[in-house]
Amino acid sequence: MIDTRDAVVAHALVVRRGRTEILHSVDLRVAGGQVVGLLGPSGAGKTTLMRAIIGAQHIGSGTVEVFGRPAGHRVLRRQLGYMAQSAAIYDDLTVEQNLDYFRRVLGAPASDVDRVVAEVGLDPVRRNLASRLSGGQRSRVSLGVALLGAPRLLVLDEPTVGLDPVLREELWGLFARLAASGTTLLVSSHVMDEARRCDRLLLVREGRIIADDTPAGLLASTGASDHDEAFLRLVRRDAASGTGGEAA
Ligand SMILES: Nc1ncnc2c1ncn2[C@@H]1O[C@H](COP(=O)(O)OP(=O)(O)OP(=O)(O)O)[C@@H](O)[C@H]1O
């Protein structure tokens, strides 16, 4: 069944890391059953926002709710899958041992290992030690861990980085299938070409969301012919308006 309720709602969210304010009063709504792209320059605050949503980031003020519960609430643990930028897997275990270990921790069914191995395309290397995998294979094991237990919300921090175009295309196909079956996906990326694969795009710059639109809507509102150009125009427009960066 498609879950059309809001998966994530943030209101006036402020996050500091160390002494620096990273997110400045962010308002955000992520509808259920969509692939939402989180895009923006390096250091804009995408990872910080994702960490706040999964409940791993101390919040200065404001609120973040996931499926109507405060982020980090224990009942959300099994409803959320998170893939961090650096692969969080055990080097001395094989691909399938890694997946089996994490699915036990989650209480997910044993059949999840085969399902996930197939979904992330790691069948040929399933018995290889993680230490012997390529960078792209390692990140796919991490993605596989996030898919265990079939969570309602997947928060994926640059899941396609380092992957060749064929694999990237396959993973975006997987994301679309998951969304069609009701999963909500929040996916960060630096590859603007991937923007067109999302249902909705959030552009983050200097700790603020400066655009929230569909891929087609962003092209229309900026008059750009591709998303690279659209984002450049939006970032330049925002920089010229002088709203970013000063809040401390
Ligand atoms: N542990 C930390 N302590 C203090 N500041 C941090 C910490 N981690 C990140 N930051 C700062 O927070 C800001 C946002 O970082 P964040 O990782 O959220 O950006 P990002 O948009 O995900 O960047 P990238 O695309 O490069 O991954 C950056 O200015 C960064 O220097």
Side-chain angles (χ1 to χ4, degrees), residues 169-180:
E169 192 66 14
E170 281 175 18
L171 284 188
W172 279 98
L174 170 65
F175 299 161
R177 288 196 299 281
L178 288 167

Side-chain angles (χ1 to χ4, degrees), residues 17-18 22 41-48 85 158 190:
R17 298 184 90 169
I22 306 296
S42 181
K46 302 181 294 296
T47 298
T48 304
Q85 266 179 35
E158 300 195 25
H190 275 128

Side-chain angles (χ1 to χ4, degrees), residues 16-20 22-23 40-49 51 85 157-158 188-190 204:
R16 290 181 196 85
R17 298 184 90 169
R19 297 174 131 195
T20 313
I22 306 296
L23 298 182
S42 181
K46 302 181 294 296
T47 298
T48 304
L49 180 56
R51 285 168 51 89
Q85 266 179 35
D157 202 350
E158 300 195 25
S188 73
S189 175
H190 275 128
V204 186

Side-chain angles (χ1 to χ4, degrees), residues 80-230:
L80 240 160
Y82 175 57
M83 176 191 176
Q85 266 179 35
S86 49
I89 55 174
Y90 292 105
D91 274 349
D92 56 343
L93 299 181
T94 65
V95 170
E96 60 186 17
Q97 285 168 341
N98 263 290
L99 292 169
D100 194 49
Y101 170 76
F102 287 109
R103 74 99 197 145
R104 281 170 197 268
V105 171
L106 283 166
S111 56
D112 262 23
V113 174
D114 284 347
R115 172 180 66 85
V116 160
V117 163
E119 282 176 341
V120 297
L122 286 176
D123 205 41
V125 294
R126 62 184 292 156
R127 293 192 178 83
N128 289 18
L129 283 177
S131 60
R132 300 186 59 184
L133 300 175
S134 72
Q137 289 168 335
R138 289 171 66 80
S139 72
R140 276 183 287 148
V141 180
S142 248
L143 174 59
V145 172
L147 295 172
L148 290 166
R152 294 167 75 192
L153 172 65
L154 280 166
V155 178
L156 309 176
D157 202 350
E158 300 195 25
T160 60
V161 78
L163 300 183
D164 63 71
V166 175
L167 274 174
R168 276 203 277 137
E169 192 66 14
E170 281 175 18
L171 284 188
W172 279 98
L174 170 65
F175 299 161
R177 288 196 299 281
L178 288 167
S181 68
T183 308
T184 306
L185 293 95
L186 185 61
V187 183
S188 73
S189 175
H190 275 128
V191 185
M192 294 308 175
D193 179 50
E194 295 186 333
R196 70 189 163 84
R197 308 294 307 258
C198 300
D199 297 310
R200 198 153 193 96
L201 299 170
L202 300 170
L203 179 60
V204 186
R205 176 177 179 268
E206 296 189 352
R208 291 188 173 80
I209 294 181
I210 63 166
D212 175 358
D213 208 338
T214 60
L218 276 188
L219 294 183
S221 67
T222 56
S225 56
D226 61 44
H227 290 102
D228 251 328
E229 186 55 34

